[in-house]
Amino acid sequence: MALPRGYISHSQIRAYRECPRKYFFAYVENIQPPINDKVFLGEVFHSAIEHYFLQRIGGAMPADEAVEAYFCSRFDGDACGREISWGSPRHETRQRGLAFLKHFLRHLAPDARPLMVEKELCAELPGSGVMLKGVIDLVEEDYCITDFKTTTGRWSDSRARNSPQMVIYRYLFDRSFGPLPASLKYEVFYGRTAGSVRHQTLRVVPEEGAVDSLLAMIGDMVQRIGAGIFPARETPFCRHCDFRSQCRDKGSA
Ligand code: SF4
């Protein structure tokens, strides 16, 4: 079996590592369940900061009010046209997202020096012909690569350190632009309510050999996908899985 999308990406790798059967439902059967409020908020937040950075790259300095208005308009427009599973009430999600954005505009945006935003990079992996693809949220003039997260709780250092996402970005960046003095960080906005929003900066320095381990892991995963190996991996988190009903029909979870 060829890769369902013709390439591998961090979100596919994450899905397969969490549960190969989840990957099967999402990418082989292409089942698209309603998105939840947290994912929706993240999408609209990313759209608003992309809107902001594109103007900065074009030489303008957008007013905070204009960026906040963009967020609200995008949130309201997209919420009407999509099936969203609201775990928290819609107006609370909107207020929380707006609080994340205000925090970003006040504490991070003024010092940012954007060079590229939502930059899609891809590279063929050596020896396999497999395409690895990634979309980097922000690259700054000093080649600092940033991924923005919106979430309810604070991240641990080890969560940032152990995610393959930044190793993928660094690898794709080096393959696309040559070895440059790039650095990596997550900017994590977190809080359960609009009144409790905070943010943390987590710098990531890949360990020696991280790229080789990543390439070996991806190679093994691509082989398993090609062989049609999609076992269910049942954990307590199955109760939050978007594919739980399909999984039950197949006799698991
Ligand atoms: S319910 Fe559990 S076992 Fe089934 S697809 Fe989801 S994560 Fe995998």
Side-chain angles (χ1 to χ4, degrees), residues 16-57:
Y16 195 91
R17 289 176 102 194
E18 279 175 15
C19 173
R21 185 171 287 184
K22 190 175 190 174
Y23 175 96
F24 174 79
F25 290 132
Y27 294 100
V28 180
E29 299 221 321
N30 205 23
I31 297 169
Q32 292 173 355
I35 63 167
N36 66 45
D37 55 321
K38 296 182 182 67
V39 174
F40 178 67
L41 185 154
E43 283 184 9
V44 181
F45 176 84
H46 276 78
S47 167
I49 61 172
E50 180 185 6
H51 174 76
Y52 171 83
F53 282 131
L54 282 174
Q55 290 185 68
R56 289 280 309 272
I57 291 168

Short mmCIF file of all heavy atoms in Angstrom, two decimals, residues 16-57:
data_model
loop_
_atom_site.label_atom_id
_atom_site.label_comp_id
_atom_site.label_asym_id
_atom_site.label_seq_id
_atom_site.Cartn_x
_atom_site.Cartn_y
_atom_site.Cartn_z
N TYR A 16 -0.22 7.79 14.02
CA TYR A 16 0.19 6.37 13.98
C TYR A 16 0.83 5.96 15.31
O TYR A 16 0.60 4.85 15.80
CB TYR A 16 1.13 6.10 12.81
CG TYR A 16 1.28 4.61 12.52
CD1 TYR A 16 0.45 3.98 11.60
CD2 TYR A 16 2.23 3.84 13.19
CE1 TYR A 16 0.56 2.61 11.35
CE2 TYR A 16 2.35 2.48 12.95
CZ TYR A 16 1.51 1.87 12.02
OH TYR A 16 1.62 0.50 11.78
N ARG A 17 1.62 6.86 15.90
CA ARG A 17 2.26 6.51 17.18
C ARG A 17 1.23 6.40 18.30
O ARG A 17 1.37 5.58 19.19
CB ARG A 17 3.31 7.56 17.55
CG ARG A 17 4.54 7.51 16.68
CD ARG A 17 5.47 8.62 17.05
NE ARG A 17 6.58 8.17 17.87
CZ ARG A 17 7.37 8.99 18.53
NH1 ARG A 17 7.16 10.28 18.51
NH2 ARG A 17 8.36 8.52 19.23
N GLU A 18 0.21 7.25 18.25
CA GLU A 18 -0.83 7.17 19.29
C GLU A 18 -1.59 5.86 19.15
O GLU A 18 -1.83 5.16 20.13
CB GLU A 18 -1.82 8.33 19.15
CG GLU A 18 -1.33 9.62 19.76
CD GLU A 18 -2.29 10.77 19.51
OE1 GLU A 18 -3.45 10.53 19.12
OE2 GLU A 18 -1.86 11.91 19.68
N CYS A 19 -1.97 5.54 17.92
CA CYS A 19 -2.74 4.32 17.69
C CYS A 19 -2.80 4.08 16.18
O CYS A 19 -3.41 4.87 15.45
CB CYS A 19 -4.15 4.46 18.26
SG CYS A 19 -5.22 3.08 17.82
N PRO A 20 -2.21 2.99 15.70
CA PRO A 20 -2.22 2.73 14.26
C PRO A 20 -3.63 2.64 13.67
O PRO A 20 -3.85 3.04 12.53
CB PRO A 20 -1.48 1.40 14.13
CG PRO A 20 -0.57 1.39 15.32
CD PRO A 20 -1.35 2.04 16.43
N ARG A 21 -4.57 2.16 14.48
CA ARG A 21 -5.94 2.07 13.94
C ARG A 21 -6.56 3.47 13.75
O ARG A 21 -7.33 3.72 12.84
CB ARG A 21 -6.83 1.22 14.85
CG ARG A 21 -8.21 1.02 14.23
CD ARG A 21 -9.06 0.04 14.95
NE ARG A 21 -8.62 -1.32 14.74
CZ ARG A 21 -9.27 -2.38 15.22
NH1 ARG A 21 -10.36 -2.22 15.92
NH2 ARG A 21 -8.81 -3.59 14.99
N LYS A 22 -6.18 4.36 14.65
CA LYS A 22 -6.63 5.76 14.51
C LYS A 22 -6.12 6.34 13.17
O LYS A 22 -6.85 7.02 12.45
CB LYS A 22 -6.07 6.55 15.69
CG LYS A 22 -6.61 7.93 15.86
CD LYS A 22 -6.00 8.47 17.15
CE LYS A 22 -6.63 9.75 17.57
NZ LYS A 22 -6.15 10.20 18.87
N TYR A 23 -4.86 6.06 12.88
CA TYR A 23 -4.29 6.49 11.60
C TYR A 23 -5.11 5.92 10.45
O TYR A 23 -5.42 6.62 9.49
CB TYR A 23 -2.83 6.01 11.50
CG TYR A 23 -2.20 6.31 10.16
CD1 TYR A 23 -1.41 7.45 9.97
CD2 TYR A 23 -2.40 5.46 9.07
CE1 TYR A 23 -0.85 7.73 8.73
CE2 TYR A 23 -1.85 5.75 7.83
CZ TYR A 23 -1.07 6.88 7.67
OH TYR A 23 -0.53 7.16 6.44
N PHE A 24 -5.46 4.63 10.57
CA PHE A 24 -6.22 3.96 9.51
C PHE A 24 -7.54 4.69 9.25
O PHE A 24 -7.89 4.99 8.10
CB PHE A 24 -6.48 2.51 9.91
CG PHE A 24 -7.37 1.77 8.98
CD1 PHE A 24 -6.88 1.25 7.78
CD2 PHE A 24 -8.71 1.58 9.27
CE1 PHE A 24 -7.71 0.57 6.91
CE2 PHE A 24 -9.55 0.90 8.40
CZ PHE A 24 -9.04 0.39 7.21
N PHE A 25 -8.27 4.99 10.32
CA PHE A 25 -9.56 5.67 10.14
C PHE A 25 -9.37 7.06 9.53
O PHE A 25 -10.13 7.48 8.65
CB PHE A 25 -10.30 5.79 11.48
CG PHE A 25 -10.81 4.47 12.02
CD1 PHE A 25 -10.57 4.12 13.34
CD2 PHE A 25 -11.53 3.60 11.21
CE1 PHE A 25 -11.04 2.91 13.84
CE2 PHE A 25 -12.00 2.39 11.70
CZ PHE A 25 -11.75 2.04 13.02
N ALA A 26 -8.35 7.77 10.02
CA ALA A 26 -8.18 9.17 9.59
C ALA A 26 -7.63 9.29 8.18
O ALA A 26 -8.06 10.15 7.41
CB ALA A 26 -7.26 9.90 10.57
N TYR A 27 -6.66 8.41 7.83
CA TYR A 27 -5.94 8.63 6.57
C TYR A 27 -6.23 7.60 5.49
O TYR A 27 -6.19 7.92 4.31
CB TYR A 27 -4.42 8.70 6.84
CG TYR A 27 -4.06 9.89 7.68
CD1 TYR A 27 -3.83 9.78 9.04
CD2 TYR A 27 -3.99 11.16 7.11
CE1 TYR A 27 -3.53 10.88 9.82
CE2 TYR A 27 -3.68 12.27 7.88
CZ TYR A 27 -3.45 12.13 9.23
OH TYR A 27 -3.16 13.23 9.99
N VAL A 28 -6.51 6.35 5.88
CA VAL A 28 -6.81 5.34 4.86
C VAL A 28 -8.29 5.41 4.52
O VAL A 28 -8.67 5.54 3.35
CB VAL A 28 -6.42 3.92 5.35
CG1 VAL A 28 -6.73 2.89 4.28
CG2 VAL A 28 -4.94 3.88 5.70
N GLU A 29 -9.14 5.37 5.54
CA GLU A 29 -10.58 5.47 5.28
C GLU A 29 -11.03 6.92 5.12
O GLU A 29 -12.15 7.17 4.69
CB GLU A 29 -11.36 4.78 6.40
CG GLU A 29 -11.01 3.30 6.51
CD GLU A 29 -12.20 2.41 6.77
OE1 GLU A 29 -13.09 2.82 7.53
OE2 GLU A 29 -12.22 1.30 6.19
N ASN A 30 -10.15 7.84 5.47
CA ASN A 30 -10.43 9.28 5.30
C ASN A 30 -11.74 9.71 5.97
O ASN A 30 -12.50 10.51 5.42
CB ASN A 30 -10.46 9.63 3.81
CG ASN A 30 -10.13 11.10 3.57
OD1 ASN A 30 -9.51 11.74 4.42
ND2 ASN A 30 -10.59 11.63 2.46
N ILE A 31 -11.99 9.17 7.15
CA ILE A 31 -13.19 9.56 7.91
C ILE A 31 -12.89 10.90 8.58
O ILE A 31 -11.84 11.06 9.21
CB ILE A 31 -13.53 8.49 8.98
CG1 ILE A 31 -13.87 7.17 8.29
CG2 ILE A 31 -14.67 8.96 9.88
CD1 ILE A 31 -13.98 5.98 9.24
N GLN A 32 -13.79 11.84 8.40
CA GLN A 32 -13.55 13.18 8.97
C GLN A 32 -14.64 13.50 10.00
O GLN A 32 -15.70 14.01 9.64
CB GLN A 32 -13.53 14.21 7.85
CG GLN A 32 -12.31 14.00 6.97
CD GLN A 32 -12.29 14.87 5.73
OE1 GLN A 32 -13.23 15.60 5.46
NE2 GLN A 32 -11.22 14.77 5.00
N PRO A 33 -14.36 13.16 11.27
CA PRO A 33 -15.36 13.46 12.31
C PRO A 33 -15.44 14.96 12.55
O PRO A 33 -14.54 15.70 12.15
CB PRO A 33 -14.78 12.73 13.54
CG PRO A 33 -13.32 12.67 13.29
CD PRO A 33 -13.12 12.63 11.81
N PRO A 34 -16.50 15.43 13.22
CA PRO A 34 -16.57 16.86 13.56
C PRO A 34 -15.35 17.25 14.39
O PRO A 34 -14.92 16.46 15.23
CB PRO A 34 -17.85 16.98 14.40
CG PRO A 34 -18.58 15.70 14.23
CD PRO A 34 -17.62 14.66 13.76
N ILE A 35 -14.80 18.42 14.16
CA ILE A 35 -13.65 18.83 14.98
C ILE A 35 -14.17 19.31 16.34
O ILE A 35 -15.32 19.73 16.46
CB ILE A 35 -12.79 19.92 14.31
CG1 ILE A 35 -13.60 21.21 14.09
CG2 ILE A 35 -12.19 19.42 13.03
CD1 ILE A 35 -12.72 22.37 13.73
N ASN A 36 -13.31 19.26 17.34
CA ASN A 36 -13.75 19.75 18.66
C ASN A 36 -13.38 21.22 18.82
O ASN A 36 -12.67 21.81 18.01
CB ASN A 36 -13.19 18.86 19.78
CG ASN A 36 -11.69 18.92 19.89
OD1 ASN A 36 -11.11 20.00 19.85
ND2 ASN A 36 -11.04 17.77 20.03
N ASP A 37 -13.89 21.81 19.88
CA ASP A 37 -13.72 23.26 20.09
C ASP A 37 -12.25 23.65 20.26
O ASP A 37 -11.84 24.74 19.84
CB ASP A 37 -14.55 23.72 21.30
CG ASP A 37 -14.24 22.93 22.56
OD1 ASP A 37 -14.04 21.71 22.46
OD2 ASP A 37 -14.19 23.52 23.65
N LYS A 38 -11.45 22.75 20.83
CA LYS A 38 -10.03 23.10 21.06
C LYS A 38 -9.28 23.18 19.74
O LYS A 38 -8.48 24.09 19.52
CB LYS A 38 -9.39 22.06 21.99
CG LYS A 38 -9.99 22.04 23.38
CD LYS A 38 -9.30 21.04 24.27
CE LYS A 38 -9.94 20.98 25.65
NZ LYS A 38 -11.30 20.45 25.63
N VAL A 39 -9.55 22.21 18.86
CA VAL A 39 -8.90 22.23 17.54
C VAL A 39 -9.38 23.45 16.75
O VAL A 39 -8.59 24.15 16.10
CB VAL A 39 -9.21 20.92 16.77
CG1 VAL A 39 -8.66 20.99 15.35
CG2 VAL A 39 -8.62 19.73 17.52
N PHE A 40 -10.67 23.70 16.82
CA PHE A 40 -11.23 24.86 16.10
C PHE A 40 -10.59 26.16 16.58
O PHE A 40 -10.17 27.00 15.78
CB PHE A 40 -12.75 24.89 16.29
CG PHE A 40 -13.40 26.06 15.63
CD1 PHE A 40 -13.42 26.18 14.25
CD2 PHE A 40 -13.99 27.07 16.39
CE1 PHE A 40 -14.01 27.28 13.63
CE2 PHE A 40 -14.58 28.17 15.78
CZ PHE A 40 -14.59 28.27 14.41
N LEU A 41 -10.49 26.32 17.90
CA LEU A 41 -9.87 27.53 18.45
C LEU A 41 -8.43 27.67 17.93
O LEU A 41 -7.99 28.74 17.53
CB LEU A 41 -9.90 27.48 19.98
CG LEU A 41 -9.39 28.71 20.74
CD1 LEU A 41 -10.05 28.77 22.10
CD2 LEU A 41 -7.89 28.71 20.89
N GLY A 42 -7.70 26.55 17.93
CA GLY A 42 -6.32 26.58 17.45
C GLY A 42 -6.24 27.01 15.99
O GLY A 42 -5.37 27.80 15.61
N GLU A 43 -7.16 26.52 15.18
CA GLU A 43 -7.16 26.88 13.76
C GLU A 43 -7.39 28.38 13.57
O GLU A 43 -6.72 29.03 12.79
CB GLU A 43 -8.27 26.11 13.03
CG GLU A 43 -7.94 24.67 12.74
CD GLU A 43 -9.03 23.98 11.94
OE1 GLU A 43 -9.97 24.64 11.46
OE2 GLU A 43 -8.94 22.76 11.80
N VAL A 44 -8.37 28.92 14.30
CA VAL A 44 -8.69 30.34 14.13
C VAL A 44 -7.57 31.22 14.68
O VAL A 44 -7.20 32.24 14.09
CB VAL A 44 -10.05 30.69 14.79
CG1 VAL A 44 -10.39 32.16 14.58
CG2 VAL A 44 -11.17 29.82 14.22
N PHE A 45 -6.98 30.79 15.81
CA PHE A 45 -5.85 31.54 16.38
C PHE A 45 -4.69 31.58 15.37
O PHE A 45 -4.11 32.64 15.13
CB PHE A 45 -5.41 30.87 17.69
CG PHE A 45 -4.19 31.49 18.31
CD1 PHE A 45 -4.31 32.61 19.12
CD2 PHE A 45 -2.93 30.96 18.08
CE1 PHE A 45 -3.19 33.19 19.69
CE2 PHE A 45 -1.80 31.54 18.65
CZ PHE A 45 -1.93 32.65 19.45
N HIS A 46 -4.37 30.43 14.78
CA HIS A 46 -3.29 30.37 13.81
C HIS A 46 -3.59 31.25 12.59
O HIS A 46 -2.70 31.91 12.05
CB HIS A 46 -3.03 28.93 13.36
CG HIS A 46 -2.14 28.18 14.29
ND1 HIS A 46 -2.57 27.67 15.49
CD2 HIS A 46 -0.81 27.88 14.22
CE1 HIS A 46 -1.56 27.08 16.11
NE2 HIS A 46 -0.48 27.20 15.37
N SER A 47 -4.84 31.25 12.18
CA SER A 47 -5.21 32.08 11.04
C SER A 47 -5.01 33.57 11.37
O SER A 47 -4.53 34.35 10.54
CB SER A 47 -6.69 31.79 10.70
OG SER A 47 -7.18 32.73 9.83
N ALA A 48 -5.35 33.96 12.60
CA ALA A 48 -5.22 35.37 13.00
C ALA A 48 -3.75 35.79 13.09
O ALA A 48 -3.38 36.87 12.64
CB ALA A 48 -5.91 35.60 14.35
N ILE A 49 -2.89 34.91 13.63
CA ILE A 49 -1.48 35.32 13.73
C ILE A 49 -0.81 35.28 12.36
O ILE A 49 0.07 36.07 12.07
CB ILE A 49 -0.68 34.53 14.80
CG1 ILE A 49 -0.64 33.05 14.51
CG2 ILE A 49 -1.21 34.78 16.19
CD1 ILE A 49 0.30 32.29 15.46
N GLU A 50 -1.29 34.37 11.48
CA GLU A 50 -0.77 34.39 10.10
C GLU A 50 -1.13 35.72 9.43
O GLU A 50 -0.30 36.35 8.77
CB GLU A 50 -1.35 33.22 9.30
CG GLU A 50 -0.84 33.20 7.86
CD GLU A 50 -1.49 32.12 7.01
OE1 GLU A 50 -2.43 31.45 7.50
OE2 GLU A 50 -1.07 31.97 5.85
N HIS A 51 -2.39 36.13 9.62
CA HIS A 51 -2.86 37.42 9.08
C HIS A 51 -1.96 38.55 9.60
O HIS A 51 -1.55 39.43 8.84
CB HIS A 51 -4.31 37.59 9.53
CG HIS A 51 -4.92 38.90 9.20
ND1 HIS A 51 -5.35 39.23 7.94
CD2 HIS A 51 -5.18 39.99 9.99
CE1 HIS A 51 -5.84 40.45 7.95
NE2 HIS A 51 -5.76 40.93 9.18
N TYR A 52 -1.65 38.50 10.89
CA TYR A 52 -0.81 39.53 11.50
C TYR A 52 0.60 39.52 10.90
O TYR A 52 1.13 40.55 10.46
CB TYR A 52 -0.74 39.30 13.02
CG TYR A 52 0.27 40.15 13.72
CD1 TYR A 52 -0.04 41.45 14.09
CD2 TYR A 52 1.55 39.66 14.00
CE1 TYR A 52 0.91 42.26 14.72
CE2 TYR A 52 2.49 40.45 14.63
CZ TYR A 52 2.17 41.75 14.98
OH TYR A 52 3.12 42.54 15.59
N PHE A 53 1.22 38.33 10.85
CA PHE A 53 2.61 38.26 10.39
C PHE A 53 2.74 38.58 8.90
O PHE A 53 3.75 39.15 8.48
CB PHE A 53 3.20 36.88 10.69
CG PHE A 53 3.60 36.69 12.13
CD1 PHE A 53 3.20 35.57 12.83
CD2 PHE A 53 4.38 37.63 12.78
CE1 PHE A 53 3.57 35.39 14.16
CE2 PHE A 53 4.75 37.47 14.12
CZ PHE A 53 4.34 36.34 14.79
N LEU A 54 1.75 38.22 8.10
CA LEU A 54 1.82 38.56 6.68
C LEU A 54 1.88 40.07 6.49
O LEU A 54 2.61 40.57 5.61
CB LEU A 54 0.62 37.97 5.92
CG LEU A 54 0.71 36.47 5.62
CD1 LEU A 54 -0.59 35.96 5.00
CD2 LEU A 54 1.90 36.15 4.71
N GLN A 55 1.12 40.79 7.30
CA GLN A 55 1.17 42.26 7.20
C GLN A 55 2.51 42.79 7.66
O GLN A 55 3.07 43.71 7.06
CB GLN A 55 0.03 42.86 8.01
CG GLN A 55 -1.32 42.57 7.36
CD GLN A 55 -2.43 43.27 8.11
OE1 GLN A 55 -2.52 44.50 8.11
NE2 GLN A 55 -3.26 42.50 8.77
N ARG A 56 3.04 42.20 8.74
CA ARG A 56 4.37 42.63 9.21
C ARG A 56 5.44 42.38 8.15
O ARG A 56 6.30 43.22 7.92
CB ARG A 56 4.73 41.87 10.50
CG ARG A 56 3.93 42.26 11.74
CD ARG A 56 4.47 43.54 12.38
NE ARG A 56 5.90 43.50 12.60
CZ ARG A 56 6.49 43.02 13.70
NH1 ARG A 56 5.75 42.56 14.69
NH2 ARG A 56 7.80 43.04 13.82
N ILE A 57 5.36 41.21 7.50
CA ILE A 57 6.35 40.90 6.46
C ILE A 57 6.22 41.88 5.30
O ILE A 57 7.21 42.27 4.67
CB ILE A 57 6.18 39.42 5.99
CG1 ILE A 57 6.61 38.47 7.12
CG2 ILE A 57 6.98 39.15 4.72
CD1 ILE A 57 6.24 37.02 6.89
#
